[in-house]
Structure formats: C-alpha cells, structure tokens
Amino acid sequence: MPRIEILSHEDDGRARQIEQALKAKGKAASVRVVDVYTSENPKAQSAEFIGSLTNPVTQKSDQMPDDFDWALEIGYLPGVTDNVGHTASELLELAGAQNDNECYSARLYLIKGKLSKTDIESLAGELSNKLIQRASIKSHDDFTKDGGMDVVVPKVSLDNKGAVADDIDLNVSDEELKIIGTQGIEDADGTRRGPLGMSLLYMHAVKDYFAKEGRPAKDIELETLAQTWSEHCKHTIFASPIDDVKDGIFKHYIRRATADIRKKRGKDDICVSVFSDDSGGIIFDDKYLITHKVETHNSPSALDPFGGSITGIVGVNRDCIAFGMGAKPVINIYGFCLADPRTKPEYYRDKAMTNSILSPETIMNGVVRGVEVGGNCSGIPTPQGFVYFDDRFVGKPLVFVGTVGLIPREINDKPSHEKGTRPGDKILMVGGRVGRDGIHGATFSSVVLDENSPATAVQIGDPITQKKLSDVIIKEIRDQGLYTAMTDNGAGGLSSSVGELAEGSGGLHIELDKVPLKYPGMAPWEIWISESQERMSIAVPPENTDKMIKLFAARGVEATVVGEFTNTGRAHATWHGETVMDMDMDFLHGGLPETPLKTTYTQGGETEPDLPEPKDYGQTLKDMLSRPNICSKEFISTQYDHNVQGSAVLGPLQGPGRVYADASVTKPLLDNPRGVALSQGLAPRYSDIDTGAMASAALDMAVRNTVAAGADFHHIAILDNFCWCSSDEPERLGQLKRAAEAIYDLSVLFETPFISGKDSMFNDFKGYDADGKEVKISVPPTLLVSSIGVIPDVEQSISLAPKAPGDLIYILSETKDELGASEYYDMNGTLGQNVPQIDGARNLELYKLYSQAARQNLIASALSINLGGLGVALAKKAIAGQMGMNIDLSGFDLRADKLLFSESLGRILVTVTPANQKEFEKHFGHSAQQIGQITDSNKLNINNILEVYIKALEEAYKAPLKDY
Amino acid sequence: MSAKALILSGYGLNCEEETLFAFEHVGLTGSIRHINDLIDNPKELDEIQILVVPGGFSYGDDTGSGNAFAQKMRLSLWDSLREFVSRDTLTLGICNGCQILTNLGLAPALDDNYGERIVAVTHNLTARYQCRWVDLKVGASNSPWLNGIDTMHIPVAHGEGRFMMDGQTMDAIKDQIALTYTKPDQSPANNEFPFNPNGSMNDIAGITDQSGRVLALMPHPERGMFTWQRDDYDHLKDKTQREGAQLPEESDGMALFKNAAEYFEVAKRKTA
C-alpha cells in the first residue's frame, strides 16, 4: 500500500519551533519534519504524484535520515476531516487517478536528543489531540527493525450494511423514557446512541403524539425532535415564561427593546432585518446593508480547541453568506474567555482520574489557531477581538466568533434580505459531503460537559471547501435570481436547516438516500442530523436546478437535489423509497411543552475592603499592566490577517507602540468613504456582585468603544450573546432575568437596537479535582455585547494613540469610588461591593456630544477607559504614542489608587490639539476635565503619585504573553 | 485600446477583487477569471497583456503553499503560459501568487529555463503566520514593475514567505532580486525579526525572471495603495489636518500598478 514520505530541509521553521519548545523545558533536541501521505490507490506510487508533493528545493522524497533517536508520527483518526489529505487526493486525480483516489496525511517527526519515551509521549500530547488524532512512537531501533513506521490508512468502514430506520417503543416506564432522553436510543448490542437531551416532559409529549398517530416512533423521528427542540435550536430558556413574564426573556426584553426603538426612531430606523435571519442586517448607506452575527462554540472547544474554534468561525461565516440572498463576509471578529495559560490546574472528567481536561495553554493555542486558519484561509480580515481570563473558564472556555457581511439592498429589483421557500422548490444541498461528524452536536452543546460527552460531536472545518462554495454563491450565482431561499447547515444539520426553510412553504419531503456521503453505511437518522460542515441548503425552483448544479460543478463544488419543499404540513422522509419519517410540521416546531421558569435573586459581593495604600504607585501600575486581562495580546493580532480585502483603517494594534485596541474601523468598499466600527464589551467578574451591573457594563463598553473610534452614535446596532451556567437553577435564572432587564433599559435609552443574538445556557464543567473529589465549575454569568456602527467618512475615525507633544489630555465623565469586582481589587484578592453603576442618561448625553465632535475632527486620539481604569488607560496611551505625559490629578478627591483604578463606566480619555482647545471645551462643557498634557519626554508623570519610564510600562504591558 | 489584465481566482485565492481594483484605478482594463474557465479557454491568454495571480490560500496551503495550484496550472496550461511569458507581457504574483509563480518556475527562470523549480518559498522561521507592515528596498532587478521605485512601506500577511535556494542559485539571481526587507531607516534587515518577518535568505521579499517582466513578491502592494490603508494613517491624517494640508490619496503600493499602465503606454508609443 503506497506510503509516501517527504523529508523537509534541516532548517524547517516547523521543526525549529518544536526544538525551541523542548529547549524551554530544558531538553536539547534536533527535529526533522517528514510529511507523510498514504493511499490505497496504486497510482499514488507514481513518480508524477510523488513529484507533485515534493518541493525539490527544500524537500526530498527518496531519502530518510538515520540519525535520530525517536520517531513520532501524528495522523488523523478515521472519519476526521483531513484537509491536507483532501488536497493530496485532488493532486492524485490530477496525476491521472480515476477513482478511489482518497489520500490521508500524517506528519512524522524524527527527533534526535537525550529524551525518554515519557518525554516523547508528553510532546505527542502537546502536538496532538487523542480525540481526533493518533500518535505513533517508535524508538530508532524499533523503527529500523520494522523497516519504518507502520502504514496507516484511516479509512472509515461502517459495519452497517442495509441500515434502516428502527422503530422505537415509547410505551415504556418513565424510568426508561428518562434514560432514552438522557443517554439516547439503545442499539441491539445494548450501547446507547448518545444524548437526546430530552426531559421526561418532552418524552411524554413525543409519546402522546405517536400514540395519536397510532404507530411507534422511528429512530429518525425521535432524533429530529431532539434536535429541533434542543436548547441550542429552540432557545427554550429564553422562550419560556419566567415568573410573571409570560412571553419569556427573549420576546419581553430583547426583541421588545428593538421594537420599541424602531417605533421611536420612525423614519430614522436603521434596522432592516432583525432576529429573523441567520444574521441581523442594518442600513450601511443608500445602496448597501451591513450584517452581523456573533456565535459561540464553547462545548466543542473544550474537547478539541482547534476544531471547535475553526468550525465556529467558518460556521458563522455561513450565517453571513446565508443572510437574505447572500451577504459577502467582510470582517471576522473573535473573543475568547479562558483560564490563564500560565497555570496548570488539575481536573478530570472521570472518577478514575484518567481523562484529564486539556491544559489552559493547550486550549488557548488551539482556539487561537482555529480562528487563524479559518479566517485567514477564507480571505476575511480579522481586525479585532478580545481575550478575557478567569480561572472559572478552565473546564468550559467560551469561544465567540462573529462575521460582518455586506450586501446590496436590492438584487434584481427586489429587497435582498427577503427570502421564502415556495411549495415545489427543490432542496439543493451544496458543499461538503455528509459523514458521522458532529452527530448530536446540538443536543450536546445544550448540556453540561462530563465524561459521557460524545467525541463524535467534534468536527474540523474545511475553509477551502467553504471558500469555493461562498465564492460561487456570493460572486457568481446570487445576482442571477436562481433561488428563493437558503440557510446554513449548522447545528442539527439537514434536520434543522431543511426544517427551518420548510416553515416557509409548509412542508418538506426529503430522500435521504440521495444525500452524498463521505463513506457508505450511514443510517438514515445519522444522515439527517449529521453536522458535517461547509454545507448550505438552498430552495431552488425546479426549472433552475440543472443550471445551479452546473454552475457549482464548474467551481469544484458538489450540489445535489435531495428533496422538495411542499405544502402538505408534514415533514416527510424516505429511505430508498420507504417512508422513515412522517410528522406534523406544527408538532415538530410547536409541539414542545412549555416549561414555566421560576427565579430567585440574591445580590452578591462582600463589604468594601480597607486596603493599605500602595507605597510604590509606579510598581502598582506596572503590575496592573501585566495582568492577563489588561496586557497585550499582540501575538494573536499578528497571526490573524487583518488587512486582506485591503479594507483595514484602524487595525488591532495602534500607534507606533502597537497597543492592542478594543475597537476597529474597516472600509468595506474601496471606493466609498464609509467605515464600519466594531467593538465588544463584557465584564464577567461583575456578575459576582450583580449581573445587572455586569450586563449594563458590557453594553456601555461595547457602545462607548465604538463611539470613541468615531462611529455615528445614531448609527450603532448591538448583538447579545448570553453565556450562562446552571440555567436549571432558580438563582441563575434570577441573575439572567436581572441582566436582561438591565440591557432592555439601557439599549432603549441609547436607542441602540439588538439585531441578532445567541445564547449558551449550560457552561458548567462537572468532574473531579486532583484529590478525586467531585467538583462543578461554572463560568461566571457572561453577557457579551457586540457593537457595529457606521462612520460616514473614515477620515473621521479616531485612533487611541496620542499624536503630538503639547496636546492636551482630557477625561470625559466622572470617576467614582467604583472598584467592586475590578481588576485592582482582584489583584488584591478581594471582591468588594461597589461594582460600577450605569448612569445611562449622562452617558447618552456624552456620547451624543462626542459623536458630533468626531464629525468636526475635534479629537486627536481617544481611548475608552475600561478594565484597569484611568491609570491603565494613561499608560496604554503613552505606550501607543511613544510619548510622555504630564498629569495632574489634584482636582479629584478620591484616594490615588481608587482614582487610578476605578472602573466607573462612561469614561473616555482623549487628547486634543491646542488649536482646538477652545472649541473642544465649549463643546463638552463640564463633561470634560483637563488633566494634563502630552510631552516629548520618555516618562509618564502623574504629579505626586508616580513617574515611570514608558519603556518600563511597555515591558510590563507586553511581556506576559509575548512567548505564545 | 488599453492593455488588459487578467486576475485569476478560485480554489482559495482571495485577493482578486482588490487587485482588480488597483489595475482599474490606474486606467487598465481588467477582469477576474476563475482558473477553471481559463483552463477551458487558454486562448484568452493571447488576448491579454497582464496576467496576475493574486494573494490567497489556494488549497489551504496544503502540501506546501502554492504547490497544488501550481500543479494544476502546470498540467493544464503550461504551453499557453510559456507562450504568454515569451511575449512582451507582464506577469505578477502577489503572496500566494508569488508562491505559485516560483513553484511553476516562472521566476527566477534562469537562462530562460521557465518551468524549472529552483527557488522555494517556505514556512516562516517563526512557524507562525505574520501579518504586519514592512519596509522594502528595491533590489538590482531591472523590472518594469519597479521602475522609479526606491522604497515601499506595505504589508505582508503569510505563513510561508521564506525564500530559500542553494548558494549557486543565490549567486545567479543577484540581478533578479526585486525587493528586500529593511529596517525603517532603510538599512538591511539582516534577517532580524520582525523587519525580515519570515527568515528569508538575504532578506529577499520578491524576485523576477531575467527579463524583469515576471515579478513574484510576498508583500501586498494592493493593501498599501491608498493612504487610508496605511498603518500610520491616523498619524498622517492628524498631521495634515493640523497643517491644513491635503492628504495624498495614493500610497507606495500604487506605484507598481502605475508602472504596469506606463509600460504599455510606452510600448504603444514605440510601435506607433
């Protein structure tokens, strides 16, 4: 069986990085990298194919060094997406292979050095993830004895011939119903198929329904209901009555806020498509809409950080592509909530303590790389994002990914955001093929992570397959008017996407045996709910299907008619002609029983601490700058292509001192001066005192950051992502309700409408600590608010870096004794009580004033004062501009540490050229207080408090994460 | 009739739109062509004067950046490509396009040996993708693409931008070095990160064929063609506002595209 080994040159960068990582652990070694390909096709032995894989300048296919002590090979497990293997398959086809040209990739490391087997095993653990990859290790002797590494062909073969749909007997005890709901359908061999995530209440509703139909349920029907009714798809917690709020949190607080704002704004309404499509859309200008959507991909990222995050980013790209007739992705954003990568906490998923959680460092590296590969390969700039650290994210990290899209307001003289399937439209599945990957993803992400979490729920994105798909739709097919609707195949796969589209026509008929598969032997229920990536479902009038299929084929994209939308009111599926599913659409979408929720609420926090005043404020400021939540994350920004499409105006690193910015400005059209400003806000730790304060802070930060960068305050929309924990506990639900109330009030006051959102309600880890004691670690209740604003002309954008010595420094708005749950209190090991309170009316006035000033170019630089307070903001500005500052804070009557590190909301630190002083002061009046001046010295000087070299501040700010 | 530029797309190339914008901005006619369409109709190469392989991630960089796309072009288009570069035409490969052109052997093509693969553009020494602005100096190449250009401040964005070759090749292509990385004061980067962002031999950022008409460069001129695209735009904008001056619309990268337009203007005048 052909196995091709291609040795890379001695100075390969990939080898160098491993050598350095080993060196950091005190192990000297030299490493050679060998790219390995296997295939069952004899043609793979041809010189032509091998030549096509070998760069003659840097690689050799005909020699292997003998000078090594260990050989470590990492390859994929059967069924895992292997993008390199996939490309090799295409090369094999180019080399003349007709069929069965499947290739598989692996990487072999030849390592020379005094290393033990344990060292190699530990390296293997760092380089691979056993959920998706195999690692084979051989000593030099074994390698020689065996004549090299073993040939591994990770082909999937399912012993599942003649798969049919099974009848499931629901006339069983409540005990058994419960087990089916939590562990899944039982197979003949006694194993369970994986969680349905259905409560007994739901199981009863299903049982009653099939009693009425007068027949047993088929497995596929039960699986379909589980997907459709999952928390992930139906957002049951946000939809259920809660206390006296009969219409539930989503309708009562989120959607109502938007409706109220739209009514109030009347003809100045910026919303076009809200909460009804895969993304939300607002007006950009006369000709274009911009769309935004932010998703989370938390549970998969805990198990396979790279796979989880790449699947997340390419998945949210599809939410953009699927907006209306298809929006072009123009900006990606990211956000990670993680445990500190420099810590090594010990937790296990199982009682026997064999199944360890991934280390915070592994998780961080993986999620960072997932967005890198996904975003970069797709040619979408990623100019901005955030990382927030808290130890409670150790078992379940939060991975946020978002995509902004651009679409003409009208396509073929029709509003581009309107879509709807019609009876008779064909169901066209386009893109990747279907495999077992991601089965039960939707139900799995709706439950707590524990040792039973299914590995099949993990998937790896294939950005190039998706890029081909996206290009055909957005750049070639969209404007031809060939389809009536489309949606993304995400959670729940076809069951969810086709089910959703069928609501338009009023029914569906799908022929599951027509769906193209990655490998034979899949059962109908698996095909229907598989979450294999890079697929869209499109509703196409029958007369256009041939043309569509041809257009896709010309671009190397597979498209297949798999069924038809109907108006029968039924969700109907066949498998080789035989009916395997036939359910009432109304029951499918509306049959889930309502679960009224009850809440309790207790204010958190401690008494305010009585901290001794710091003796050395310079040192305290440096300590603050080195805190993980404040220090630079430049290593992420430089790995993310932030200027592809040529559209970056204000990027992720600003000023000559390259400070990590919390807002970006992008010009999505090269010939149009308008810009899009983006930012996010979050303050998870504030939830320890008050989730209402946490939520208000998140919203205020998101809006203020965008305003500070120059967005028109009247042209800003927001998105909500609730990442909660233990949402079956009344206290957690009480915290949720309080947060929702807070953002209803503030968004309506600011008139910043919500246009899209997503929630993830069970971010808890259940397992065992180092002593084998049972633990549950819940993330702090977290609301991420993302903002998207329009700048009429990017010339009015404002960066955070000061521009010239002599410029005046002002602080806008008030600083109060508000350090509860602040970075400063946390550094001192205390929580406190005075969490920052929102003064919405005051902030509203300020943001309006600021927005006007931005139109007149009155402000030379601006930075929102967020985590770490005024002290940190001053330092960041000094670093960014590489300019000194003379500051005088004697006019404030707060103790210096409180003044410097309070996190009071609503504040912006700005610099103004003296030429604009008069106009600026007149414009802002009492809202602006001058506190100093930019100097050409190399120090930040705050009179009577501190004097520190900018170099020292910069070192403190940049050192902590610079080696990642 | 103005010269025509054809910008390739497909299989993960992704900078075709902004690259087309650059050519149209300088007055050339251009269009984007999917590689499969060009393979179906290679005669189109006879009707154009400028062939551009833009940046992107063809085949996800799998099996080596630019490798698979180059294989596809070699197997289905080689004769037409060979014919195209032998005419008085211009060819440009940016970033992924640069990797593709070197894998195809369209550069450096010593002694007119087009098709010979003697230069590799491989993994950055940091083994990390690098997106950052760099300073460049024009090398000894007589390329019409670089006519009148001395230095450029434009960005790179790549995971595999490290030029590698044997010593003999390095000696032989001395006069075909198009661009090298420098420090901001224009002194050689001397392989010092981040000035040389990838560990490229002799700080090479781009090379040409012997005629200079084929240019393969890793940095992205189309992302640094307007002043508002620059990393120091906020400073330049503020400075001109203070001085009451006008900010120039164009920046360094545009010169390259203007040279292409100029080249055919000049050629046209000669024949007239």
Side-chain angles (χ1 to χ4, degrees):
Chain A
M1 205 163 318
R3 172 184 160 98
I4 299 152
E5 296 178 338
I6 294 168
L7 173 72
S8 193
H9 63 109
E10 284 172 24
D11 194 25
D12 189 300
R14 298 171 296 176
R16 279 294 172 81
Q17 288 308 306
I18 295 171
E19 289 167 3
Q20 278 172 23
L22 286 168
K23 200 172 155 196
K25 295 196 172 78
K27 318 270 179 195
S30 66
V31 177
R32 297 295 297 268
V33 175
V34 181
D35 290 301
V36 178
Y37 303 89
T38 54
S39 172
E40 291 182 317
N41 192 317
K43 189 92 192 167
Q45 248 141 358
S46 69
E48 199 179 357
F49 177 60
I50 296 171
S52 76
L53 295 168
T54 316
N55 188 319
V57 186
T58 51
Q59 296 176 318
K60 301 262 183 289
S61 59
D62 51 359
Q63 40 177 273
M64 286 284 279
D66 189 44
D67 187 22
F68 63 92
D69 298 306
W70 291 101
L72 162 63
E73 180 170 302
I74 293 166
Y76 290 104
L77 294 174
V80 175
T81 304
D82 176 0
N83 289 324
V84 178
H86 186 69
T87 297
S89 306
E90 295 203 25
L91 287 171
L92 187 57
E93 199 181 315
L94 284 175
Q98 299 293 329
N99 38 38
D100 293 331
N101 56 346
E102 206 61 45
C103 294
Y104 305 90
S105 77
R107 194 170 287 163
L108 172 64
Y109 300 97
L110 301 173
I111 304 160
K112 184 179 163 56
K114 284 205 175 61
L115 298 170
S116 66
K117 186 160 188 192
T118 322
D119 291 335
I120 302 295
E121 281 167 352
S122 128
L123 178 66
E126 283 162 36
L127 293 175
S128 65
N129 180 342
K130 62 185 177 196
L131 262 186
I132 53 162
Q133 288 164 312
R134 67 177 168 89
S136 325
I137 296 171
K138 282 190 186 190
S139 66
H140 181 266
D141 288 352
D142 286 344
F143 185 95
T144 314
K145 200 172 69 205
D146 301 346
M149 300 302 282
D150 303 332
V151 181
V152 180
V153 177
K155 186 174 172 173
V156 178
S157 41
L158 300 177
D159 183 21
N160 205 13
K161 268 225 168 91
V164 290
D166 298 326
D167 286 340
I168 308 300
D169 185 6
L170 295 175
N171 289 313
V172 292
S173 68
D174 279 1
E175 264 329 289
E176 179 56 25
L177 280 181
K178 257 192 206 163
I179 296 175
I180 297 175
T182 48
Q183 295 173 26
I185 295 166
E186 190 173 10
D187 271 323
D189 63 359
T191 57
R192 297 270 168 180
R193 291 182 184 175
L196 296 174
M198 297 241 268
S199 65
L200 187 59
L201 186 69
Y202 281 16
M203 291 302 292
H204 271 291
V206 177
K207 182 178 167 178
D208 293 348
Y209 173 78
F210 284 101
K212 220 167 55 200
E213 292 271 320
R215 62 176 175 88
K218 293 275 187 193
D219 55 0
I220 176 173
E221 293 175 315
L222 206 48
E223 296 281 358
T224 304
L225 289 164
Q227 299 298 318
T228 313
W229 293 3
S230 69
E231 171 57 36
H232 193 90
C233 295
K234 275 282 183 248
H235 307 280
T236 43
I237 290 166
F238 268 59
S240 302
I242 186 162
D243 297 337
D244 50 350
V245 178
K246 296 290 166 245
D247 49 351
I249 285 181
F250 171 66
K251 284 186 189 158
H252 192 73
Y253 297 111
I254 312 293
R255 206 174 72 179
R256 186 165 60 98
T258 300
D260 289 355
I261 294 164
R262 295 187 71 175
K263 208 168 144 198
K264 203 159 133 198
R265 295 280 291 259
K267 64 178 182 17
D268 294 328
D269 179 22
I270 57 168
C271 296
V272 176
S273 173
V274 291
F275 301 117
S276 56
D277 208 335
D278 293 29
S279 300
I282 62 169
I283 291 168
F284 180 61
D285 65 4
D286 295 348
K287 293 205 179 78
Y288 288 92
L289 303 178
I290 36 170
T291 69
H292 200 3
K293 171 64 176 276
V294 179
E295 269 282 6
T296 48
H297 226 219
N298 307 335
S299 299
S301 301
L303 301 177
D304 176 16
F306 172 75
S309 107
I310 188 172
T311 308
I313 192 76
V314 296
V316 78
N317 290 165
R318 285 196 304 281
D319 283 329
C320 168
I321 299 161
F323 174 90
M325 288 292 110
K328 177 189 167 192
V330 292
I331 311 169
N332 280 338
I333 59 133
Y334 65 93
F336 308 125
C337 291
L338 307 168
D340 188 333
R342 299 165 300 178
T343 60
K344 293 187 169 45
E346 204 180 329
Y347 292 106
Y348 300 89
R349 298 190 194 283
D350 58 335
K351 199 167 174 52
M353 305 207 295
T354 52
N355 186 359
S356 165
I357 60 160
L358 298 174
S359 75
E361 180 179 351
T362 301
I363 291 184
M364 185 178 84
N365 288 341
V367 297
V368 167
R369 206 167 72 83
V371 170
E372 181 227 308
V373 174
N376 290 358
C377 284
S378 306
I380 303 164
T382 308
Q384 199 248 324
F386 67 87
V387 189
Y388 185 93
F389 294 102
D390 185 297
D391 290 345
R392 288 169 288 179
F393 294 114
V394 66
K396 204 148 175 188
L398 305 183
V399 172
F400 298 94
V401 283
T403 302
V404 173
L406 185 77
I407 182 172
R409 291 175 71 162
E410 290 201 342
I411 294 174
N412 293 322
D413 300 324
K414 280 189 275 198
S416 64
H417 65 280
E418 287 175 6
K419 59 185 179 189
T421 45
R422 293 177 302 209
D425 285 351
K426 297 289 179 188
I427 305 169
L428 195 68
M429 188 187 101
V430 299
R433 295 187 150 213
V434 171
R436 268 189 168 167
D437 15 4
I439 285 182
H440 288 147
T443 47
F444 147 74
S445 60
S446 305
V447 295
V448 175
L449 268 192
D450 62 19
E451 63 173 320
N452 298 317
S453 303
T456 48
V458 172
Q459 336 150 39
I460 298 178
D462 170 2
I464 294 303
T465 294
Q466 180 159 313
K467 171 73 175 157
K468 290 194 279 185
L469 168 65
S470 161
D471 279 356
V472 199
I473 295 178
I474 305 300
K475 299 181 179 177
E476 299 198 60
I477 296 182
R478 182 184 72 188
D479 299 350
Q480 299 185 36
L482 295 173
Y483 52 87
T484 55
M486 73 175 151
T487 195
D488 145 52
N489 275 294
L494 285 171
S495 77
S496 170
S497 68
V498 175
E500 218 174 275
L501 287 174
E503 286 186 81
S505 65
L508 69 95
H509 167 69
I510 183 138
E511 294 167 41
L512 290 165
D513 47 296
K514 298 268 166 62
V515 176
L517 303 180
K518 291 183 182 176
Y519 32 77
M522 284 178 67
W525 72 271
E526 293 176 307
I527 297 169
W528 184 231
I529 68 164
S530 157
E531 298 185 2
S532 288
Q533 293 291 298
E534 293 81 41
R535 290 182 295 147
M536 310 276 285
S537 293
I538 310 184
V540 186
E543 62 272 22
N544 296 338
T545 51
D546 284 352
K547 190 167 182 197
M548 290 272 285
I549 290 169
K550 254 188 219 145
L551 286 165
F552 278 110
R555 302 299 177 244
V557 178
E558 191 167 31
T560 316
V561 172
V562 296
E564 189 176 304
F565 293 102
T566 66
N567 55 5
T568 59
R570 306 292 287 185
H572 184 256
T574 55
W575 177 246
H576 298 289
E578 191 188 322
T579 294
V580 291
M581 175 174 78
D582 187 5
M583 285 193 289
D584 188 39
M585 287 285 291
D586 290 339
F587 177 69
L588 177 59
H589 287 289
L592 67 167
E594 225 172 45
T595 327
L597 306 171
K598 287 272 170 262
T599 78
T600 58
Y601 180 76
T602 325
Q603 173 90 6
E606 302 161 352
T607 49
E608 276 288 297
D610 183 16
L611 295 175
E613 192 169 357
K615 292 198 176 61
D616 179 352
Y617 269 104
Q619 188 55 48
T620 307
L621 179 58
K622 285 187 279 181
D623 292 344
M624 285 290 286
L625 287 168
S626 289
R627 288 181 58 76
N629 282 345
I630 293 172
C631 71
S632 173
K633 283 91 186 171
E634 176 169 352
F635 76 101
I636 297 178
S637 308
T638 51
Q639 289 185 67
Y640 290 179
D641 190 342
H642 45 260
N643 49 26
V644 61
Q645 301 190 7
S647 55
V649 179
L650 291 185
L653 301 165
Q654 296 182 7
R658 300 167 72 81
V659 164
Y660 187 73
D662 44 24
S664 63
V665 174
T666 303
K667 195 159 106 58
L669 292 158
L670 295 173
D671 54 359
N672 181 326
R674 277 184 175 247
V676 177
L678 295 176
S679 187
Q680 303 86 34
L682 80 168
R685 204 185 300 115
Y686 291 5
S687 285
D688 293 346
I689 299 177
D690 176 359
T691 51
M694 178 278 296
S696 301
L699 199 160
D700 183 62
M701 274 184 210
V703 169
R704 175 161 37 94
N705 293 346
T706 309
V707 169
D712 177 356
F713 181 54
H714 298 293
H715 206 148
I716 295 175
I718 53 178
L719 297 83
D720 64 289
N721 283 85
F722 284 87
C723 284
W724 233 246
C725 55
S726 311
S727 296
D728 42 7
E729 295 173 7
E731 186 66 24
R732 293 299 190 189
L733 291 171
Q735 291 178 328
L736 177 68
K737 194 174 146 201
R738 187 172 170 84
E741 283 167 354
I743 57 169
Y744 169 82
D745 292 344
L746 192 57
S747 62
V748 170
L749 188 65
F750 283 175
E751 293 184 20
T752 48
F754 293 99
I755 57 168
S756 175
K758 196 67 190 276
D759 48 87
S760 164
M761 302 312 290
F762 291 92
N763 292 291
D764 308 275
F765 165 77
K766 267 185 186 162
Y768 302 85
D769 67 9
D771 304 322
K773 236 174 57 197
E774 218 175 315
V775 289
K776 176 176 174 184
I777 304 171
S778 300
V779 306
T782 300
L783 169 67
L784 174 73
V785 178
S786 304
S787 56
I788 175 163
V790 171
I791 302 186
D793 187 328
V794 296
E795 267 207 60
Q796 296 162 3
S797 61
I798 302 167
S799 78
L800 69 88
K803 304 297 184 302
D807 278 10
L808 308 168
I809 305 170
Y810 294 84
I811 181 169
L812 305 182
S813 199
E814 256 177 284
T815 305
K816 295 181 187 162
D817 181 359
E818 293 181 315
L819 289 97
S822 67
E823 285 291 314
Y824 182 67
Y825 274 9
D826 193 56
M827 185 168 80
N828 285 286
T830 180
L831 180 63
Q833 181 58 246
N834 297 350
V835 69
Q837 298 296 314
I838 188 80
D839 183 342
R842 186 197 58 200
N843 296 2
L844 172 71
E845 285 317 306
L846 178 69
Y847 302 164
K848 281 185 187 164
L849 282 175
Y850 185 101
S851 190
Q852 291 156 4
R855 296 315 129 238
Q856 301 163 44
N857 290 316
L858 282 182
I859 296 162
S861 77
L863 177 60
S864 267
I865 301 177
N866 291 324
L867 298 188
L870 174 62
V872 163
L874 285 167
K876 280 191 187 174
K877 281 186 91 79
I879 297 165
Q882 296 285 298
M883 290 174 195
M885 287 179 175
N886 253 335
I887 304 291
D888 180 10
L889 300 177
S890 56
F892 296 84
D893 60 356
L894 269 179
R895 200 173 87 177
D897 52 347
K898 295 201 165 183
L899 182 55
L900 287 179
F901 305 122
S902 161
E903 295 179 0
S904 288
L905 299 166
R907 296 176 302 161
I908 305 174
L909 185 63
V910 305
T911 64
V912 175
T913 168
N916 287 336
Q917 177 176 8
K918 235 171 133 185
E919 212 179 330
F920 175 87
E921 288 181 355
K922 192 173 143 218
H923 185 79
F924 281 96
H926 294 301
S927 303
Q929 194 161 352
Q930 196 193 327
I931 56 169
Q933 206 162 19
I934 303 291
T935 66
D936 53 10
S937 85
N938 52 5
K939 285 179 187 167
L940 168 63
N941 172 50
I942 306 178
N943 288 347
N944 303 317
I945 299 177
L946 61 81
E947 189 175 35
V948 195
Y949 284 106
I950 294 165
K951 272 274 160 256
L953 295 173
E954 188 173 351
E955 170 68 17
Y957 172 69
K958 292 185 175 174
L961 299 177
K962 80 170 180 344
D963 292 330
Y964 284 98
Chain B
M1 192 189 73
S2 96
K4 276 191 202 148
L6 196 71
I7 294 120
L8 295 185
S9 69
Y11 294 87
L13 291 177
N14 61 36
C15 301
E16 65 271 16
E17 291 186 342
E18 53 270 34
T19 307
L20 173 65
F21 191 93
F23 283 99
E24 290 183 337
H25 183 83
V26 300
L28 288 159
T29 319
S31 38
I32 292 169
R33 190 69 65 242
H34 193 282
I35 181 67
N36 289 354
D37 291 350
L38 185 63
I39 290 169
D40 286 346
N41 177 26
K43 287 230 168 310
E44 189 168 10
L45 286 177
D46 300 344
E47 297 152 22
I48 61 155
Q49 288 72 39
I50 304 168
L51 177 65
V52 186
V53 192
F57 258 94
S58 59
Y59 291 93
D61 277 2
D62 305 333
T63 75
S65 58
N67 178 62
F69 200 93
Q71 294 298 333
K72 194 176 168 81
M73 287 180 80
R74 182 198 307 278
L75 289 170
S76 16
L77 277 172
W78 180 251
D79 292 342
S80 312
L81 282 175
R82 181 70 189 81
E83 154 73 17
F84 178 81
V85 294
S86 69
R87 283 167 40 211
D88 186 14
T89 57
L90 293 178
T91 304
L92 177 66
I94 301 169
C95 197
N96 197 214
C98 165
Q99 295 155 341
I100 290 167
L101 293 191
T102 50
N103 277 325
L104 269 173
L106 289 181
L110 286 171
D111 303 321
D112 271 0
N113 274 328
Y114 289 97
E116 200 187 12
R117 206 168 159 186
I118 54 171
V119 166
V121 185
T122 185
H123 298 276
N124 295 350
L125 206 45
T126 56
R128 286 270 191 285
Y129 192 90
Q130 295 291 343
C131 178
R132 51 176 79 243
W133 285 72
V134 293
D135 291 294
L136 300 164
K137 194 168 172 51
V138 169
S141 165
N142 60 346
S143 173
W145 286 104
L146 301 166
N147 210 1
I149 304 175
D150 184 25
T151 63
M152 280 202 277
H153 182 68
I154 55 177
V156 292
H158 58 246
E160 303 182 30
R162 184 184 185 200
F163 279 85
M164 296 196 84
M165 63 199 89
D166 62 28
Q168 200 185 341
T169 308
M170 182 59 87
D171 283 344
I173 69 156
K174 268 205 311 268
D175 292 336
Q176 290 168 240
I177 292 174
L179 295 156
T180 57
Y181 299 106
T182 69
K183 294 180 178 169
D185 65 4
Q186 292 178 33
S187 65
N190 269 333
N191 227 317
E192 192 182 320
F193 183 82
F195 310 108
N196 174 338
N198 49 40
S200 197
M201 289 174 83
N202 289 357
D203 299 327
I204 292 175
I207 60 172
T208 65
D209 68 345
Q210 273 175 326
S211 76
R213 290 184 287 102
V214 179
L215 170 64
L217 80 167
M218 286 309 297
H220 283 275
E222 83 285 7
R223 300 185 191 179
M225 58 184 166
F226 295 116
T227 307
W228 61 262
Q229 291 174 318
R230 288 176 67 105
D231 58 342
D232 54 0
Y233 166 61
D234 60 331
H235 271 260
L236 297 173
K237 167 170 81 84
D238 181 84
K239 197 161 168 270
T240 48
Q241 275 165 8
R242 281 168 204 246
E243 291 165 354
Q246 197 66 37
L247 200 59
E249 186 199 7
E250 292 170 1
S251 188
D252 300 359
M254 191 64 85
L256 204 120
F257 303 103
K258 283 190 162 165
N259 276 337
E262 181 76 7
Y263 183 77
F264 289 105
E265 285 303 313
V266 171
K268 206 164 65 186
R269 256 178 266 138
K270 264 186 212 158
T271 45

